[in-house]
Amino acid sequence: MKLQSKLPALGTTIFSQMSQLAAEHQAINLSQGFPDFPSNPRLIELLAESARQGLNQYAPMPGVLALRQQIAALVQGCYQREVCADQQVTVTSGATEALFVAIQALVRAGDEVIVFDPAYDSYQPAVELAGGFTVHVPLLPPLYQVDWAQLEKQISKKTRLIIVNSPHNPTGAVFSHQDWLALQALVLKHRLYCISDEVYEHLVFDGQPQHSANQYPELADRTVIVSSFGKTFHVTGWKLGYAVAPVELTTEFRKIHQYVTFSSFTPAQHAIAQLLIEQPEEVKGLAAFYQQKRDQFSGALADSAWSLLPCRGSYFQLADYSAFSDLDDVAFCHWLTREHKVAAIPLSVFYRQPPSQRIIRFCFAKEPQTLTLATEILCQLSRLR
Ligand code: PMP
Ligand code: GLN
């Protein structure tokens, strides 16, 4: 028997591949995006307390109400938008589940979905499983900005959905107020739906304002906004995220969510709800915390042959190595991991048709000593030629 694949072009994600290679070679893992430092110890206590108190059975399908109320409070506090915890907020098993469910809810067979190139890797397979097609619009380096006029030319009668991601993985680009207005105008004019992947929403640097689809009411009326507690509380392994959407979209979203996972890990929902009540200021410190890491990483490579691209948000730094190597980016990342014990992600994997360039992505969500060790190696090897 030969099973015909529904995703014939896909292999295992680059994040699994590179983390495995890093482990095999005992390399410093700056590839897959996750912190190497502990989360708030109070959060761990709260998780243990929740489990000890016996909060170990199924959570309500849309999520523990106390957590949904805290999510609504967070949206109100950050973006002054009132959302109904009961009817507009759904807790999911990571942002990954929220993205997948939102795409299944919105995309029908034959629909076109606009994504950017480069883009996070989970969007396209989810669109294809829903029977849709992705249309790829290039972001313009070095700032990886959107050319909105160019984008509008790609909108056809079949276009159903646009997926945006700001702060952006892998480039660290951040939408300006003008970008959000341009997006809103296009969504309204062409009656599109939008998924706004905002998992790095609190990681915006250099005093720039933190914008969200939540702040643009007419856009928000047609948008599923996705975020992740994995990013916000340094617990990517807890796989807890959420979707905020208008009532009508939430109703459709939950029809699918209830048969994908039904509900998500109960003790973690109680723990995060309680932490948000006890320490609501924790989220506000995130941007400064990660900006320091970005600055440590980029400062240490400033006098090397690496050329760093601007990073305005997220916890990723793009770096151009063309001054000292001719290898393509996939080969370069393998060589870097095997021979120099630092793992990174090649940028080309985030494109449908990668341009000819020599750029890789580093994750700087690491302890200062990890960044020191890694940047010493990176500086040295850039002098090899
Ligand atoms: N979207 C983007 C842009 C991401 O970088 C990630 C990776 N964490 C996700 C979604 C998935 O988030 P989660 O780990 O909460 O599933
Ligand atoms: N979002 C993480 C990254 O970009 C990876 C998540 C995953 O491994 N699926 O590195």
Side-chain angles (χ1 to χ4, degrees), residues 94-96 99 120 123 165 169 197 199-200 228 231 239:
T96 307
L99 289 164
Y120 186 59
Y123 309 148
N165 170 218
N169 178 6
D197 179 347
V199 300
Y200 303 103
S228 170
K231 307 292 166 181
K239 293 302 295 186

Side-chain angles (χ1 to χ4, degrees), residues 13 15-16 31-33 96 120-121 169 200 231 316 350 361:
T13 82
F15 307 116
S16 302
S31 65
Q32 193 176 25
T96 307
Y120 186 59
D121 67 343
N169 178 6
Y200 303 103
K231 307 292 166 181
F316 301 114
F350 297 93
R361 188 198 82 174

Side-chain angles (χ1 to χ4, degrees), residues 5 9 14 31 50 58 70 73 82 91 97 126 162 176 192 198 200 210 224 231 237 299 309 324 338 345 373-374:
S5 174
I14 189 70
S31 65
S50 302
Y58 294 129
Q70 286 309 308
E82 191 129 350
V91 177
E97 195 226 335
I162 175 164
S176 66
L192 307 178
E198 302 185 8
Y200 303 103
Q210 177 184 339
V224 179
K231 307 292 166 181
L309 285 89
F324 56 91
R338 288 200 172 97
I345 300 282
L373 276 176

